[in-house]
Amino acid sequence: MKITKRGFIAMLAAVPVAGLAAWSLVPSASAASKIYTEGGIAIDGTDTVAYFTQGKPVPGKREFSHDWNGATWLFSSAQNRDTFAASPAKYAPQYGGYCAYAVSEGYTASTVPEAWKIVDGKLYLNYSTGVQRTWEKNYSERIIDGDKNWPKIVSGG
């Protein structure tokens, strides 16, 4: 099951973030697409290249779009679009743009542009800045867990 922002907020209201590890929400094979989208637009329309070049989330524009991996990616400039198109795997967020904390726990959740971190040249997004702070407390271990869980999540296994 894909957890929406509303569903995740309701879950957080009921369970402290530290208690989320007890939840077992591994989605079925059809539940998680490889890229987090809303209306076919990847990562809330944020320019993924800007995280690397400007050090902050920047809204993309439809006029600078690029289709990749089943999603439409928006960019703030033609230069950023072309940079992404030349090497999408270098700039695309890990886990398809789904919440890195959630993936480390074995499920998917949406993300917000403001909750991000680049680690070893890779972009990780999170559900909220609060979840981001929790993820950052032991992000090295969470990345290891996320890397193990992600293939299972996208395959439904």
Side-chain angles (χ1 to χ4, degrees):
M1 90 177 55
K2 178 182 174 193
I3 298 178
T4 64
K5 288 181 183 179
R6 282 191 190 103
F8 196 71
I9 290 170
M11 187 172 60
L12 284 178
V15 178
V17 172
L20 288 177
W23 288 61
S24 177
L25 300 173
V26 177
S28 65
S30 63
S33 69
K34 291 183 180 182
I35 304 295
Y36 164 62
T37 65
E38 288 187 15
I41 303 295
I43 63 169
D44 292 316
T46 304
D47 181 341
T48 189
V49 174
Y51 285 108
F52 294 89
T53 60
Q54 294 180 261
K56 64 181 181 180
V58 176
K61 300 175 183 173
R62 285 201 178 268
E63 65 194 88
F64 305 121
S65 67
H66 178 74
D67 290 339
W68 177 73
N69 213 9
T72 299
W73 299 76
L74 303 183
F75 301 91
S76 59
S77 68
Q79 179 180 355
N80 282 9
R81 178 200 58 213
D82 296 346
T83 297
F84 180 84
S87 187
K90 179 178 179 179
Y91 296 99
Q94 300 302 293
Y95 317 129
Y98 287 97
C99 175
Y101 176 89
V103 172
S104 75
E105 293 291 323
Y107 61 94
T108 62
S110 59
T111 55
V112 296
E114 302 78 25
W116 65 281
K117 184 174 183 73
I118 294 174
V119 178
D120 296 330
K122 297 178 182 181
L123 175 62
Y124 296 87
L125 301 173
N126 276 288
Y127 173 78
S128 69
T129 55
V131 170
Q132 175 82 18
R133 286 188 296 274
T134 300
W135 179 81
E136 286 180 338
K137 289 178 184 175
N138 59 347
Y139 67 86
S140 294
E141 293 86 8
R142 293 226 173 254
I143 289 171
I144 291 168
D145 291 344
D147 290 350
K148 287 179 191 171
N149 290 338
W150 183 240
K152 294 180 227 172
I153 289 171
V154 295
S155 72

